[in-house]
Amino acid sequence: MTRKPVVATIPNGGYLPGTVKESLPSPGGKEPPGQETVMLKKKITLLRGISIIIGTIIGSGIFISPKGVLQNTGSVGMSLIVWTACGVLSLFGAMSYAELGTSIKKSGGHYTYILEVFGPLPAFVRVWVELLIIRPAGTAVISLAFGRYFLEPFFIHCEIPELAIQLITAVGLTAVMVLNSMSVSWSARIQIFLTFCKLIAILIIIVPGVMQLIKGQTQHFKDAFSGRDASIMGLPLAFYYGMYAYAGWFYLNFVTEEVENPEKNIPLAIGISMAIVTIGYVLTNVAYFTTISAEELLLSNAVAVTFAERLLGNFSLAVPIFVALTCFGSMNGGVFAVSRLFYVASREGHLPEILSMIHVRKHTPLPAVIVLYPLTMVMLFSGDLYSLLNFLSFARWLFIGLAVAGLIYLRYKRPDMHRPFKVPLFIPALFSFTCFFMVALSLYSDPFSTGIGFILTMTGVPAYYLFIIWDKKPKWFRRLSGRITRTLQIILEVVPEEDCHKL
């Protein structure tokens, strides 16, 4: 049982749900003419959609993950095959999401599709673990990468103080939150700019690499498949690292309701983005091996910086700056998209009502944007974030696999459903199998971490029955929650969007 949309009012304020007049109502409750509908506008064009996908996929992964892939494949040739295969598999997942996004025209991504197919309980568990742990920890990790790379040119000959990294990270994270709270258009414009910066960063590596190939620097490609044989466990782990670097192709589906002409633009944006990213990733790895041997790559903590220092001379200082910009773009795109997940979950009654409200002038889901801020800040200055992410890495692939498997279920359960974009069934079948295989792999290779992650995820089940199903909550609790909602509504200047067309 989920909460029905509630028409929130401010005492003596005369609010009508979904209507504002560019300011909060006067105490007299009189509404001047010329009210404006408060809703999330369709401002995501094809170019902005491409920038969201590319901008969130290309983060620090391509500059760091090559080490993990090579380590688990054992040879240069096999690592390049894995990078290509991960790109194809990610394309399969993205195409499956293109069908889901054009068939179910609601924002929310994984959450919405699981809710539609499997019902409210698994959907709630998904958003519960996303809000409390996965998203704050993930945002903190990519933010810390931004802080580290931003400061690197200023600490060339010494270690960067950890506190300095955390402070710069906090400033960057605050800037992202403010930007996404103030304007959808400006957030999208800056995302386009940052996407171009990301592509420039990759070209800074690819172009010199191609020049090296033209000069005949192919010694590291000789006997490309010789070396340590990939073990039965190593190859799946290599795929795990590769799929992590490609993660982010699903973010456009989080903002479906804001996409212009979604039936056309979602499949186009996904197809163009995945082609660019896959080609860019494979060529970047080829470029690395024109200058760095497999042994040297395994010893490097930041492959892109090592490559730049070896080949670009003084210009190598630009590489950390561009990597920092790519991380900032991932932060911006991630916050923009995931805030819509929380917004939709609140609209469905699975999160507090305040999270489904929109700013009266900025037309942004302000509460859903800033809800991550305190949690992320706490994790930023806390302990080992990477262990926390490892605990819950299986949850991401489990729910993504479920969402894609739901596509197959809908084909048989609702064959007459309108599907403007349709993929062959082997594509979602292969991708969902890959996701479930990675979940099984994590259970086998690290049962302790996966077990802790499973327990943390399952805390969503009692939370669902306590906060959603149980409707006999004490009167003092309901009064308190209502007062908190109204107070936040006044402070943040937000109103509900729901049912505005019924008035």
Side-chain angles (χ1 to χ4, degrees):
M1 184 179 97
T2 58
R3 166 176 58 80
K4 293 181 179 179
V6 177
V7 178
T9 57
I10 294 176
N12 300 319
Y15 261 128
L16 292 177
T19 57
V20 294
K21 56 181 190 321
E22 295 297 330
S23 63
L24 287 174
S26 62
K30 294 181 180 179
E31 301 284 351
Q35 291 181 330
E36 178 184 342
T37 300
V38 177
M39 59 188 299
L40 296 177
K41 308 289 179 121
K42 286 184 176 290
K43 293 187 176 182
I44 309 299
T45 60
L46 176 61
L47 179 60
R48 289 176 178 178
I50 292 170
S51 73
I52 287 173
I53 298 172
I54 294 179
T56 46
I57 292 178
I58 302 177
S60 59
I62 185 58
F63 307 109
I64 299 171
S65 289
K67 178 178 178 179
V69 174
L70 179 63
Q71 195 169 25
N72 288 286
T73 53
S75 68
V76 171
M78 187 57 70
S79 72
L80 293 177
I81 288 174
V82 166
W83 277 105
T84 305
C86 287
V88 173
L89 280 171
S90 297
L91 175 62
F92 283 1
M95 289 171 66
S96 301
Y97 264 53
E99 177 175 328
L100 286 167
T102 53
S103 304
I104 305 170
K105 298 183 184 68
K106 297 179 184 177
S107 297
H110 328 311
Y111 166 82
T112 297
Y113 308 142
I114 291 170
L115 178 65
E116 189 83 12
V117 178
F118 299 105
L121 176 56
F124 176 84
V125 171
R126 174 70 182 94
V127 78
W128 168 265
V129 74
E130 182 82 15
L131 174 62
L132 293 184
I133 301 172
I134 294 179
R135 187 48 48 188
T139 304
V141 166
I142 193 69
S143 302
L144 285 168
F146 158 78
R148 182 174 296 278
Y149 279 104
F150 182 85
L151 289 172
E152 192 160 308
F154 304 101
F155 293 85
I156 300 173
H157 302 296
C158 59
E159 189 72 22
I160 306 173
E162 199 65 32
L163 181 60
I165 294 173
Q166 291 172 330
L167 291 175
I168 289 294
T169 298
V171 171
L173 183 62
T174 302
V176 167
M177 293 293 178
V178 170
L179 175 63
N180 280 274
S181 299
M182 297 300 290
S183 172
V184 172
S185 295
W186 273 106
S187 178
R189 286 173 191 148
I190 289 176
Q191 188 67 13
I192 291 172
F193 167 74
L194 292 171
T195 297
F196 280 113
C197 290
K198 290 168 184 276
L199 296 176
I200 289 171
I202 285 182
L203 286 173
I204 287 174
I205 294 169
I206 291 174
V207 172
V210 171
M211 292 173 66
Q212 288 286 89
L213 286 176
I214 293 171
K215 292 176 183 178
Q217 298 294 325
T218 59
Q219 64 271 22
H220 299 143
F221 296 100
K222 293 176 181 177
D223 301 319
F225 291 92
S226 65
R228 180 176 54 83
D229 292 333
S231 65
I232 295 175
M233 285 302 299
L235 203 54
L237 284 171
F239 270 90
Y240 197 87
Y241 276 100
M243 294 294 284
Y244 173 80
Y246 280 101
W249 45 261
F250 40 76
Y251 278 120
L252 188 60
N253 293 65
F254 283 34
V255 296
T256 301
E257 294 169 26
E258 295 170 72
V259 177
E260 292 181 358
N261 192 7
E263 294 185 359
K264 174 185 174 185
N265 286 338
I266 287 178
L268 270 177
I270 285 173
I272 293 169
S273 301
M274 292 310 300
I276 291 173
V277 171
T278 303
I279 293 169
Y281 273 17
V282 174
L283 289 179
T284 299
N285 279 277
V286 169
Y288 287 149
F289 290 118
T290 62
T291 305
I292 306 172
S293 68
E295 293 76 18
E296 291 169 330
L297 191 146
L298 290 174
L299 293 173
S300 173
N301 290 322
V303 183
V305 175
T306 303
F307 174 88
E309 290 172 348
R310 188 78 56 87
L311 207 58
L312 302 179
N314 291 332
F315 189 67
S316 64
L317 289 175
V319 171
I321 296 298
F322 275 107
V323 175
L325 287 173
T326 67
C327 294
F328 191 84
S330 292
M331 292 157 59
N332 182 60
V335 169
F336 179 85
V338 173
S339 63
R340 273 58 178 180
L341 166 62
F342 301 144
Y343 168 82
V344 171
S346 172
R347 194 172 62 187
E348 295 291 339
H350 285 170
L351 289 177
E353 181 191 358
I354 189 70
L355 297 183
S356 61
M357 295 188 186
I358 298 170
H359 194 276
V360 294
R361 291 184 299 278
K362 305 300 182 183
H363 296 267
T364 59
L366 176 62
V369 171
I370 63 175
V371 69
L372 279 177
Y373 187 70
L375 289 168
T376 305
M377 280 295 182
V378 168
M379 292 190 177
L380 191 64
F381 291 94
S382 62
D384 190 356
L385 291 169
Y386 294 94
S387 295
L388 191 60
L389 279 180
N390 287 338
F391 290 156
L392 291 152
S393 57
F394 89 99
R396 162 182 274 188
W397 296 112
L398 173 63
F399 286 110
I400 290 176
L402 274 176
V404 174
L407 184 156
I408 301 171
Y409 176 82
L410 286 175
R411 285 281 189 92
Y412 291 99
K413 190 72 174 178
R414 295 165 64 180
D416 298 327
M417 186 179 186
H418 179 56
R419 294 178 173 87
F421 181 81
K422 199 171 180 179
V423 296
L425 271 179
F426 81 89
I427 287 179
L430 179 60
F431 182 79
S432 57
F433 171 79
T434 303
C435 291
F436 296 141
F437 179 74
M438 286 194 289
V439 171
L441 170 68
S442 65
L443 285 167
Y444 179 79
S445 61
D446 193 356
F448 176 75
S449 294
T450 306
I452 292 176
F454 179 77
I455 292 170
L456 290 172
T457 302
M458 286 299 101
T459 59
V461 175
Y464 174 75
Y465 285 97
L466 178 63
F467 296 117
I468 308 301
I469 294 296
W470 185 39
D471 57 359
K472 294 182 179 179
K473 298 178 181 68
K475 288 183 179 179
W476 65 264
F477 179 84
R478 288 180 293 192
R479 282 198 298 268
L480 178 62
S481 62
R483 286 171 185 166
I484 292 172
T485 298
R486 287 191 293 272
T487 302
L488 289 173
Q489 191 176 350
I490 294 170
I491 293 171
L492 299 176
E493 299 185 31
V494 292
V495 293
E497 176 192 30
E498 57 220 3
D499 298 335
C500 59
H501 298 296
K502 296 179 182 178
L503 295 176

